[in-house]
Amino acid sequence: MSAAHEELAGEAKVIPIESAPSWSPGTAAGAEAFAARLADGLGSLLSGRLGPVAETVLGKGWEGRAASGLAFLRRRITGDYEVDEFGFDRELTEEVFLSVLRPLAEQYFRVEVRGIEHIPAEGGALVVANHSGVVPLDALMTQVAIHDHHPGRRHLRMLAADLVFVLPLVGELARKAGHTLACNEDAQALLERGEVVGVWPEGFKGIGKPFADRYKLQRFGRGGFVASALRAQVPIVPCSIVGAEETYPMLGNVKSLARLLGLPYLPITPTFPWLGPLGAIPLPTKWTIQFGEPIRTDGYPPEAAEDPMLVFNLTDEVRETIQHTLYQLLVDRRSVFF
């Protein structure tokens, strides 16, 4: 769901959201009463006739999970939740989005996470990763990896391309999941607030490259992400992802039709479009996500972000670190699928 620009440029286009949607004073009591009746009704149903069925289907301890789910539903109905000025809905992300993505990470791609200790326990950090796989599942799996494996259960705030926010429904869901526009202003604002920010500098060139070029990093642009880290004085954490390249092996690209549809590319894979909707199912490859040692920026003054040579050198260092780690992981890999 996230594919960063090849560089972070342009003006911020965040639509401020001051607070969560709320009911008007005239309907608040009604909403609360409706939520209470709904929760009580579902609770009675589960504890009554459906109790034995629920235990069989959901297993032991289902009562606690059901109570938590009903409390979540009640808060959503009454508007008793918060979003930040970027639109990030923490509760919805934890209870719904990550819960949906977790089985994909743990059971389908069997993601192995290494070096999570390099993500700081607190404060801002910029995670920079390679991008691949036609569909940007790598960004979503990285979001799950950081939240589930970091002791602090930190959230990854991903920088996404403009295309994400113009797609119906997708843009709104992306905002709620913590994504924001890939531009210097948004990146710096999040970093200065102490967030972990993720960027995929290859952008569409990375996820839309031919299968023959797999694991060969594309250009990183002029290093806008490095400038943002320098201004915010936060570490840059290189991230190397192996396994995503083979989920949708891109054998061809229907460029003329892609331009007609306003898409960056229209892939041809071994299964798409030949198998129709089934061709959209990714191959069950085995993934490794490795976070490297942080590259510190607090040894430079914030104004160093205006030094093009320094920015270029740090950008090149990040890129080379990721590329070298990719080669290492590929040498150690036993199989694409196991």
Side-chain angles (χ1 to χ4, degrees):
M1 192 182 287
S2 171
H5 285 306
E6 60 190 58
E7 59 183 276
L8 303 177
E11 297 182 355
K13 298 181 182 178
V14 171
I15 301 175
I17 300 178
E18 301 299 334
S19 62
S22 59
W23 297 83
S24 63
T27 61
E32 179 68 30
F34 171 74
R37 287 198 301 271
L38 179 62
D40 290 343
L42 289 173
S44 299
L45 190 62
L46 288 172
S47 60
R49 297 179 182 178
L50 295 183
V53 178
E55 184 167 352
T56 300
V57 175
L58 302 176
K60 293 183 178 179
W62 69 268
E63 297 95 336
R65 295 194 296 273
S68 177
L70 291 172
F72 169 76
L73 180 61
R74 182 172 184 164
R75 288 192 297 272
R76 305 315 292 189
I77 293 174
T78 60
D80 185 20
Y81 59 93
E82 297 181 355
V83 297
D84 69 12
E85 63 268 30
F86 290 89
F88 175 48
D89 189 328
R90 181 182 296 270
E91 183 182 53
L92 187 66
T93 298
E94 292 178 349
E95 298 292 336
V96 179
F97 297 153
L98 291 177
S99 296
V100 170
L101 293 171
R102 192 168 290 119
L104 189 63
E106 294 180 351
Q107 300 169 24
Y108 196 77
F109 294 133
R110 295 146 291 146
V111 178
E112 179 184 355
V113 180
R114 303 177 183 177
I116 193 66
E117 67 275 7
H118 295 310
I119 304 292
E122 57 184 20
L126 183 66
V127 175
V128 183
N130 59 300
H131 216 11
S132 62
V134 176
V135 177
L137 294 172
D138 50 3
L140 299 177
M141 294 300 100
T142 305
Q143 183 181 21
V144 176
I146 290 178
H147 178 269
D148 287 5
H149 291 265
H150 194 280
R153 312 287 278 184
R154 303 205 66 179
H155 285 279
L156 181 66
R157 306 296 296 273
M158 294 180 283
L159 303 178
D162 297 22
L163 178 62
V164 171
F165 300 106
V166 300
L167 294 174
L169 183 62
V170 173
E172 180 66 19
L173 292 177
R175 286 284 186 195
K176 290 184 178 297
H179 306 190
T180 191
L181 191 69
C183 64
N184 289 336
E185 288 81 1
D186 286 8
Q188 186 174 340
L190 286 168
L191 291 170
E192 289 177 347
R193 284 174 35 168
E195 301 283 0
V196 179
V197 177
V199 62
W200 285 258
E202 295 172 278
F204 291 123
K205 297 194 305 296
I207 56 175
K209 64 178 176 290
F211 187 64
D213 294 334
R214 59 193 179 280
Y215 298 114
K216 297 177 182 177
L217 292 183
Q218 306 299 297
R219 190 171 67 89
F220 267 24
R222 294 192 295 270
F225 66 91
V226 167
S228 295
L230 284 167
R231 292 190 184 97
Q233 301 281 277
V234 300
I236 300 172
V237 181
C239 175
S240 302
I241 305 170
V242 163
E245 291 276 19
E246 295 88 2
T247 53
Y248 297 100
M250 186 167 168
L251 306 179
N253 180 14
V254 189
K255 295 181 180 180
S256 56
L257 186 55
R259 285 194 296 269
L260 184 64
L261 297 174
L263 300 174
Y265 52 84
L266 188 62
I268 297 175
T269 75
T271 58
F272 183 84
W274 326 116
L275 298 183
L278 292 177
I281 299 176
L283 297 177
T285 55
K286 175 72 172 65
W287 287 35
T288 300
I289 299 178
Q290 179 161 324
F291 300 98
E293 292 189 15
I295 299 172
R296 301 182 65 88
T297 64
D298 54 1
Y300 304 97
E303 55 269 23
E306 309 304 324
D307 182 346
M309 186 55 67
L310 174 62
V311 170
F312 174 82
N313 288 337
L314 286 175
T315 302
D316 192 56
E317 180 181 353
V318 174
R319 186 180 183 279
E320 289 302 313
T321 299
I322 295 172
Q323 184 69 83
H324 178 71
T325 304
L326 286 174
Y327 288 148
Q328 266 189 328
L329 292 173
L330 289 170
V331 168
D332 295 339
R333 182 168 67 168
R334 295 182 302 166
S335 164
V336 171
F337 298 102
F338 303 102

